[in-house]
Coordinates of all heavy atoms in Angstrom, one line a residue:
L1 N -16.7 27.4 17.1 CA -15.7 27.8 16.1 C -15.0 26.6 15.5 O -14.2 26.7 14.5 CB -14.6 28.7 16.7 CG -15.1 30.0 17.3 CD1 -13.9 30.7 18.0 CD2 -15.6 30.9 16.1
G2 N -15.3 25.4 16.0 CA -14.6 24.2 15.6 C -13.1 24.2 16.0 O -12.3 23.5 15.4
K3 N -12.8 24.9 17.1 CA -11.4 25.1 17.5 C -11.2 24.2 18.7 O -11.9 24.3 19.7 CB -11.1 26.5 17.8 CG -9.8 26.8 18.5 CD -9.7 28.3 18.8 CE -8.3 28.5 19.6 NZ -8.2 30.0 20.0
Y4 N -10.1 23.4 18.7 CA -9.7 22.6 19.9 C -8.2 23.0 20.1 O -7.4 22.7 19.3 CB -9.9 21.1 19.6 CG -9.4 20.3 20.8 CD1 -10.1 20.2 22.0 CD2 -8.2 19.6 20.7 CE1 -9.7 19.4 23.0 CE2 -7.7 18.8 21.8 CZ -8.5 18.7 22.9 OH -8.0 18.0 24.0
A5 N -7.9 23.5 21.3 CA -6.6 23.9 21.6 C -6.1 23.2 22.9 O -5.5 23.8 23.8 CB -6.4 25.4 21.8
G6 N -6.5 21.9 23.0 CA -6.3 21.2 24.2 C -5.1 20.2 24.2 O -5.0 19.4 25.1
F7 N -4.3 20.3 23.2 CA -3.2 19.4 23.1 C -1.9 20.0 23.7 O -1.7 21.2 23.5 CB -2.8 19.0 21.6 CG -3.8 18.0 21.0 CD1 -4.4 18.3 19.8 CD2 -4.0 16.8 21.6 CE1 -5.3 17.4 19.3 CE2 -4.9 15.9 21.1 CZ -5.5 16.2 19.9
Q8 N -1.2 19.3 24.5 CA 0.1 19.7 25.0 C 1.0 18.5 24.9 O 0.6 17.3 25.1 CB 0.0 20.1 26.5 CG -1.0 21.2 26.8 CD -1.4 21.2 28.2 OE1 -2.3 20.4 28.6 NE2 -0.9 22.2 29.0
A9 N 2.3 18.8 24.6 CA 3.2 17.7 24.5 C 4.6 18.1 25.1 O 4.9 19.3 25.1 CB 3.4 17.2 23.0
A10 N 5.3 17.1 25.5 CA 6.7 17.3 26.0 C 7.6 16.2 25.4 O 7.2 15.1 25.5 CB 6.7 17.4 27.5
I11 N 8.7 16.6 24.8 CA 9.6 15.6 24.3 C 11.0 16.0 24.8 O 11.3 17.1 25.2 CB 9.6 15.6 22.7 CG1 10.1 17.0 22.2 CG2 8.2 15.3 22.2 CD1 10.4 17.0 20.7
T12 N 11.9 15.0 24.7 CA 13.3 15.1 25.0 C 14.1 14.7 23.7 O 14.1 13.5 23.4 CB 13.8 14.2 26.2 OG1 13.0 14.6 27.3 CG2 15.3 14.4 26.4
P13 N 14.7 15.6 23.0 CA 15.5 15.2 21.8 C 16.7 14.3 22.2 O 17.3 14.5 23.3 CB 16.0 16.6 21.3 CG 15.0 17.6 21.8 CD 14.7 17.1 23.2
S14 N 17.0 13.4 21.3 CA 18.1 12.5 21.6 C 19.4 13.3 21.3 O 19.4 14.3 20.6 CB 18.1 11.3 20.6 OG 17.0 10.5 20.8
R15 N 20.5 13.0 22.0 CA 21.7 13.6 21.8 C 22.9 12.6 21.9 O 22.6 11.5 22.2 CB 21.9 14.8 22.8 CG 22.1 14.4 24.2 CD 22.8 15.5 25.0 NE 24.1 15.8 24.4 CZ 24.7 16.9 24.4 NH1 24.2 18.0 24.9 NH2 25.9 17.1 23.8
N16 N 24.1 13.1 21.7 CA 25.2 12.2 21.6 C 26.1 12.3 22.8 O 26.0 13.2 23.6 CB 26.1 12.6 20.4 CG 26.5 14.0 20.4 OD1 25.8 14.9 20.5 ND2 27.9 14.2 20.3
F17 N 27.1 11.4 22.9 CA 28.1 11.5 24.0 C 29.2 12.5 23.4 O 29.6 12.4 22.3 CB 28.8 10.2 24.2 CG 28.0 9.1 24.9 CD1 27.4 8.1 24.2 CD2 27.8 9.2 26.3 CE1 26.6 7.1 24.8 CE2 27.0 8.3 26.9 CZ 26.4 7.2 26.2
E18 N 29.6 13.4 24.3 CA 30.7 14.3 24.0 C 31.9 14.2 24.9 O 33.0 14.6 24.6 CB 30.2 15.7 23.9 CG 29.3 16.0 22.7 CD 28.9 17.4 22.5 OE1 29.5 18.3 23.3 OE2 28.1 17.7 21.7
M19 N 31.6 13.7 26.1 CA 32.7 13.5 27.1 C 32.4 12.2 27.9 O 31.4 12.0 28.4 CB 32.7 14.7 28.1 CG 33.8 14.7 29.1 SD 33.6 15.9 30.4 CE 33.4 17.4 29.4
V20 N 33.4 11.4 27.9 CA 33.3 10.1 28.7 C 34.5 10.1 29.7 O 35.6 10.3 29.4 CB 33.5 8.9 27.7 CG1 33.5 7.6 28.6 CG2 32.4 8.9 26.7
V21 N 34.1 10.0 31.0 CA 35.1 9.9 32.1 C 35.1 8.5 32.6 O 34.0 7.9 33.0 CB 34.7 10.9 33.2 CG1 35.7 10.8 34.3 CG2 34.7 12.3 32.7
F22 N 36.2 7.9 32.6 CA 36.4 6.5 33.0 C 37.4 6.4 34.1 O 38.5 6.9 33.9 CB 36.9 5.6 31.8 CG 36.8 4.1 32.0 CD1 35.7 3.4 31.5 CD2 37.7 3.5 32.8 CE1 35.6 2.1 31.7 CE2 37.6 2.1 33.0 CZ 36.6 1.4 32.4
N23 N 37.0 5.9 35.3 CA 37.9 5.9 36.4 C 38.6 4.5 36.4 O 37.9 3.5 36.5 CB 37.1 6.1 37.7 CG 36.5 7.5 37.8 OD1 37.2 8.5 37.5 ND2 35.2 7.6 38.1
L24 N 39.9 4.5 36.3 CA 40.7 3.3 36.3 C 41.5 3.2 37.6 O 42.3 4.1 37.9 CB 41.6 3.2 35.1 CG 42.5 2.1 35.0 CD1 41.8 0.8 34.8 CD2 43.5 2.3 33.8
N25 N 41.4 2.1 38.3 CA 42.1 1.9 39.5 C 43.1 0.8 39.3 O 42.8 -0.3 38.7 CB 41.2 1.5 40.7 CG 42.0 1.2 42.0 OD1 42.4 0.0 42.2 ND2 42.3 2.2 42.7
V26 N 44.4 1.0 39.6 CA 45.5 0.0 39.4 C 45.8 -0.5 40.8 O 46.1 0.3 41.7 CB 46.7 0.7 38.7 CG1 47.8 -0.4 38.6 CG2 46.3 1.2 37.4
T27 N 45.7 -1.8 41.0 CA 46.0 -2.4 42.3 C 47.2 -3.3 42.2 O 47.5 -3.9 41.1 CB 44.8 -3.2 42.8 OG1 45.1 -3.8 44.0 CG2 44.4 -4.3 41.8

């Protein structure tokens, strides 16, 4: 049939920062 269905792919879309937690210690 001229058919090839042997491709598979996996991707991870890029995304942004929405929450930043910064731990500050005062000494």
Side-chain angles (χ1 to χ4, degrees):
L1 299 173
K3 174 184 176 181
Y4 177 76
F7 286 125
Q8 300 159 285
I11 64 168
T12 302
S14 299
R15 65 157 302 151
N16 59 304
F17 290 103
E18 292 187 7
M19 183 190 309
V20 176
V21 178
F22 193 100
N23 296 313
L24 176 65
N25 178 266
V26 179
T27 178

